[in-house]
């Protein structure tokens, strides 16, 4: 069965450092992968999408890589700030008439001063 | 604000009650989704509607009954729920044409006693 693994342990880093979150998957051949941010008591908010034929995507301080051979995506936040503290979810999807996403459990990031 | 609203934000109900969750999107999207989010578990897709037609029912128990009267509104009717149904119920919408971002509402926190 399809399985998506994100580090269930919280990631604690110091302000200014680069945070790297991992998303590994098995038994899946996604057409694209998305990263979402979720704050406590709120719904997920879309951050970045990367397609299967793309290696890397950037948006401001965010960078996503996608390795379909390793079946892995890495999500980087450079110059991290306390405001980046949240849970980050990866989601895999395939094209179709409506996107059907399969989500990981998420990794909680805590950025301290 | 993501353009997707959900009411109520919190709901406590007994196992014999009947209640409904409401979702409305103001984005002109054609696809709407219901997800269940429980602690330590990934988001579970429950139902997908595209152009008002149900295109996905992810083996959801019949005590959950969705309704989509138009592309802007989505309901989840609840009856004879179990305590294990307590969770955050999230509604999302998207364009409905393949690879795309989903926009989530804030969710309804449901507690079944």
């Amino acid at each position: 069965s399809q399985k998506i693994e994100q580090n269930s342990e919280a990631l604690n880093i110091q302000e200014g450092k680069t945070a790297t979150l991992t998303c590994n998957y098995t038994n899946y051949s996604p057409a694209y992968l998305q990263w979402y941010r979720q704050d406590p008591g709120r719904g997920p908010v879309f951050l970045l999408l990367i397609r299967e034929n793309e290696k890397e995507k950037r948006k401001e301080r965010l960078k996503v890589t996608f390795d379909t051979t390793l079946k892995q995506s890495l999500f980087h936040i450079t110059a991290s700030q306390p405001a980046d503290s949240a849970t980050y979810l990866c989601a895999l999807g395939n094209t179709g008439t409506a996107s059907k996403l399969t989500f990981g459990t998420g990794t909680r990031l805590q950025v301290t001063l | 604000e993501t353009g997707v609203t959900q009411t109520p934000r919190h709901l406590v109900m007994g196992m014999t009650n009947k209640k409904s969750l409401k979702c409305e999107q103001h984005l002109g999207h054609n696809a709407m989704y219901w997800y269940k989010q429980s602690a330590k578990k990934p988001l579970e897709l429950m139902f997908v509607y595209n152009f008002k037609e149900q295109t996905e029912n992810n083996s959801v128990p019949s005590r959950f009954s969705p309704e989509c009267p138009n592309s802007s509104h989505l309901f989840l009717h609840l009856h004879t729920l179990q305590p294990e149904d307590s969770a955050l119920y999230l509604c999302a919408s998207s364009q409905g044409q393949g690879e795309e971002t989903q926009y989530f509402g804030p969710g309804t926190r449901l507690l079944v006693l």
Side-chain angles (χ1 to χ4, degrees):
Chain A
S1 61
Q2 297 171 356
K3 192 173 180 182
I4 301 173
E5 290 184 346
Q6 293 186 256
N7 194 341
S8 57
E9 298 288 326
L11 179 63
N12 294 294
I13 66 162
Q14 201 172 21
E15 182 181 22
K17 302 289 186 185
T18 296
T20 299
L21 286 69
T22 305
C23 176
N24 295 299
Y25 60 92
T26 55
N27 298 322
Y28 205 122
S29 296
Y32 59 91
L33 186 148
Q34 299 182 4
W35 283 88
Y36 287 78
R37 168 184 171 141
Q38 186 173 23
D39 292 284
R42 295 184 174 232
V45 175
F46 171 76
L47 296 174
L48 280 169
L49 179 152
I50 186 165
R51 296 178 182 84
E52 60 179 336
N53 61 350
E54 298 174 319
K55 296 289 186 187
E56 182 179 298
K57 268 282 184 69
R58 291 175 185 259
K59 179 183 175 183
E60 298 172 354
R61 294 185 296 111
L62 309 180
K63 184 177 87 170
V64 174
T65 63
F66 193 11
D67 188 326
T68 55
T69 302
L70 290 178
K71 295 186 182 294
Q72 180 183 77
S73 174
L74 298 178
F75 177 78
H76 306 272
I77 305 175
T78 58
S80 57
Q81 305 165 0
D84 295 325
S85 299
T87 296
Y88 292 86
L89 310 173
C90 74
L92 278 58
N94 274 307
T95 54
T97 52
S99 70
K100 180 182 167 184
L101 297 176
T102 303
F103 282 84
T105 50
T107 297
R108 185 166 165 271
L109 173 67
Q110 185 71 41
V111 181
T112 55
L113 295 169
Chain B
E1 290 297 328
T2 62
V4 180
T5 58
Q6 289 187 244
T7 55
R9 293 294 311 276
H10 302 274
L11 179 62
V12 179
M13 59 187 289
M15 290 191 284
T16 58
N17 292 158
K18 287 186 180 181
K19 297 286 184 184
S20 294
L21 309 184
K22 179 183 176 183
C23 175
E24 183 174 0
Q25 57 97 359
H26 309 274
L27 301 169
H29 288 163
N30 298 307
M32 296 188 78
Y33 311 77
W34 278 117
Y35 287 90
K36 175 184 178 182
Q37 188 174 35
S38 305
K40 308 286 186 186
K41 287 186 169 184
L43 268 76
E44 299 173 48
L45 179 65
M46 300 174 73
F47 302 104
V48 181
Y49 278 81
N50 200 20
F51 292 93
K52 300 190 300 177
E53 298 298 318
Q54 187 180 113
T55 58
E56 185 87 19
N57 177 336
N58 205 17
S59 303
V60 180
S62 59
R63 57 186 184 270
F64 295 91
S65 175
E67 179 190 359
C68 188
N70 54 61
S71 292
S72 299
H73 294 86
L74 185 64
F75 295 88
L76 188 63
H77 303 298
L78 316 171
H79 64 98
T80 59
L81 294 192
Q82 305 297 311
E84 59 265 28
D85 297 322
S86 300
L88 181 68
Y89 289 85
L90 290 160
C91 172
S93 71
S94 70
Q95 288 284 0
Q97 293 177 344
E99 165 204 294
E100 56 197 14
T101 300
Q102 291 188 14
Y103 293 80
F104 285 82
T108 295
R109 175 68 63 184
L110 174 67
L111 177 62
V112 181
L113 300 175

